[in-house]
Amino acid sequence: MSPDYRTVVTADAGRKIKLWDYQSGRKIRDLQGFVQPALALDIMPDGKHILVGSLDRNITMWDITTGRMVREFGRSSDVSSIDISANGKSFLTAAKGTEFFKL
């Protein structure tokens, strides 16, 4: 299934991730439950899930259709970027100000 490019995901300093309809500009929903603000996120290739790296060093997967967390990958180093493989089976994280990444 191809990604749903009609959905845009944003994060703010108030610990909220917001889902928006690209064409109308209307907010679909807020994803809540974050202890710390999100620093990095990416939409999964299925277009139905996102990965979020937050200031508390947790990496979580969220279902954008229900707004619920579906998986936690545990703690990592500071995550400043996330890149998901085309098949959605792996992802790479990187930390700002370091030379390290994690697969």
Side-chain angles (χ1 to χ4, degrees):
M1 177 178 278
S2 63
D4 182 359
Y5 291 108
R6 296 172 297 181
T7 303
V8 175
V9 183
T10 62
D12 66 22
R15 299 184 191 113
K16 287 187 181 175
I17 294 178
K18 299 177 184 198
L19 303 175
W20 304 86
D21 180 275
Y22 176 77
Q23 291 180 334
S24 70
R26 292 184 189 151
K27 184 170 70 170
I28 299 168
R29 73 170 35 92
D30 291 337
L31 301 182
Q32 298 178 353
F34 296 94
V35 176
Q36 296 291 328
L39 299 177
L41 52 89
D42 198 5
I43 297 176
M44 298 287 291
D46 67 6
K48 297 178 183 178
H49 297 89
I50 60 170
L51 285 182
V52 179
S54 57
L55 190 60
D56 62 4
R57 298 183 174 184
N58 284 324
I59 299 172
T60 52
M61 179 186 291
W62 295 77
D63 183 318
I64 63 175
T65 59
T66 66
R68 294 196 170 113
M69 183 175 69
V70 294
R71 184 166 180 196
E72 186 171 5
F73 292 93
R75 298 178 68 81
S76 182
S77 57
D78 292 337
V79 176
S80 57
S81 66
I82 295 175
D83 191 25
I84 302 168
S85 66
N87 65 8
K89 294 185 178 189
S90 59
F91 61 92
L92 182 77
T93 61
K96 184 178 178 181
T98 70
E99 298 176 2
F100 299 101
F101 61 89
K102 190 172 185 177
L103 182 63

